[in-house]
Amino acid sequence: MTSPKLAIQTDLGRMYSRRVGGEATVPSITTIIGMDHVDLTGWAGYMAAKSLSEDARLASSISEPGRMRSLVRDSASAAEIYRDAAAARGDRVHNYAEQWALAELGQPHEVDSARQLLQSHGEQDYAEHFEYWWRDYRVEPVAAEVTVWNQSIGYAGTIDLVARIGGRECLVDYKTKTSDRDGFVKRPDDKVIMQLAAACKAEEQVADAESGQWEPWPYGSDTMLLAVALGPTGSRTFMAPPEAMPNYWAKFYALRRNWEAAFKIARSRATLVEITPPPQQ
């Protein structure tokens, strides 16, 4: 996961401060959405079984319990390894997209080194398809990696791109995805609608992270919200349906309250208290 300047990792997820070096006071948008837990035990089990079945050492280890236990331990972490690798790839692709946007804006950038990093991991196709998407949609960038804040409810987050596309102001969130067996880039999870709804409801955007200067957020109405799936075989662009936004916002608000309750419980260190039997009469 990329790390915006004002983001701080805590035991209860990523939080944000008002200035560099300041105290973290509100949770991130993605931390709040993370309160909506998804059961991944089936997927984790599949990844473990797949890893074990494809391990070249399996045949020679079946009759040796010690070596077999070692293989089982290795395969048990397959889902975690896959998740971490996907997150690292997502960071590299997001960084390239940010550097590209900065270059287009005429700001200091490191687009060449970001591309070289992707190439060193065999991920140059992600960069190429991102560039195709940018040109096909005739993107006019306004700002990249914009940190926003909602003081009324208490959250912050960072938006991948603010741009004009087709004459409309757009908030864009990139999702790095793999491709299915037919070569089509997989679609993002609909949770991204919550993420975009929360970004749209921001009240401020950072003007200077070092000094903690903020300014009003101007993109709260009539803004198109887009999720762009970037993959090794292409890209796909999805719009958050305006009619669904109130319900997704309501769910996000409920998850924010859930996070706050968990935060207060953690700070109070509340736990069960053992008691003895009542005295004998």
Side-chain angles (χ1 to χ4, degrees), residues 96 110-119 124 127-128 131:
Y96 181 76
E110 298 177 357
V111 69
D112 291 336
S113 60
R115 174 181 275 276
Q116 289 171 6
L117 183 59
L118 286 174
Q119 290 174 339
Q124 60 273 9
E128 291 174 4
E131 293 170 20

Side-chain angles (χ1 to χ4, degrees), residues 34-269:
M35 298 300 293
D36 188 19
H37 294 295
V38 177
D39 185 2
L40 296 177
T41 53
W43 173 75
Y46 167 77
M47 292 298 295
K50 181 174 182 291
S51 174
L52 183 61
S53 67
E54 294 175 350
D55 197 309
R57 301 169 294 172
L58 178 60
S60 61
S61 301
I62 291 178
S63 59
E64 299 185 31
R67 294 181 63 185
M68 194 66 190
R69 283 194 294 271
S70 178
L71 291 188
V72 170
R73 284 195 298 270
D74 291 346
S75 65
S77 61
E80 183 178 349
I81 293 171
Y82 180 90
R83 180 202 63 199
D84 292 347
R89 180 176 63 243
D91 285 351
R92 291 188 290 270
V93 174
H94 274 74
N95 181 53
Y96 181 76
E98 178 188 359
Q99 299 307 316
W100 177 277
L102 292 174
E104 292 286 305
L105 287 164
Q107 298 178 14
H109 63 85
E110 298 177 357
V111 69
D112 291 336
S113 60
R115 174 181 275 276
Q116 289 171 6
L117 183 59
L118 286 174
Q119 290 174 339
S120 70
H121 286 83
E123 297 162 349
Q124 60 273 9
D125 289 346
Y126 287 88
E128 291 174 4
H129 290 298
F130 166 76
E131 293 170 20
Y132 293 149
W133 169 79
W134 189 281
R135 292 170 182 142
D136 288 346
Y137 281 81
R138 298 189 294 279
V139 177
E140 301 174 43
V142 174
E145 289 290 306
V146 183
T147 295
V148 298
W149 194 285
N150 183 305
Q151 185 65 31
S152 299
I153 296 172
Y155 67 85
T158 300
I159 300 165
D160 291 336
L161 180 70
V162 179
R164 282 184 290 273
I165 301 176
R168 293 282 302 278
E169 292 176 336
C170 301
L171 304 185
V172 181
D173 189 83
Y174 305 124
K175 295 299 180 187
T176 306
K177 307 296 290 183
T178 56
S179 299
D180 62 22
R181 64 184 62 186
D182 296 318
F184 291 102
V185 176
K186 296 177 181 178
R187 61 182 292 127
D189 191 290
D190 282 337
K191 283 186 179 181
V192 71
I193 302 176
M194 261 196 293
Q195 190 172 345
L196 290 165
C200 193
K201 290 282 190 178
E203 298 169 342
E204 297 174 282
Q205 63 181 3
V206 69
D208 188 317
E210 296 290 339
S211 62
Q213 294 181 14
W214 296 75
E215 59 190 22
W217 174 240
Y219 302 106
S221 60
D222 195 33
T223 304
M224 186 178 293
L225 308 179
L226 302 178
V228 179
L230 301 172
T233 58
S235 67
R236 298 172 68 186
T237 304
F238 299 84
M239 181 186 74
E243 65 276 8
M245 299 304 286
N247 290 330
Y248 276 95
W249 171 249
K251 183 172 183 178
F252 178 83
Y253 181 77
L255 290 172
R256 171 60 179 82
R257 295 181 63 186
N258 190 4
W259 179 90
E260 183 173 2
F263 180 73
K264 290 179 177 178
I265 290 171
R267 290 188 66 182
S268 68
R269 301 181 183 274

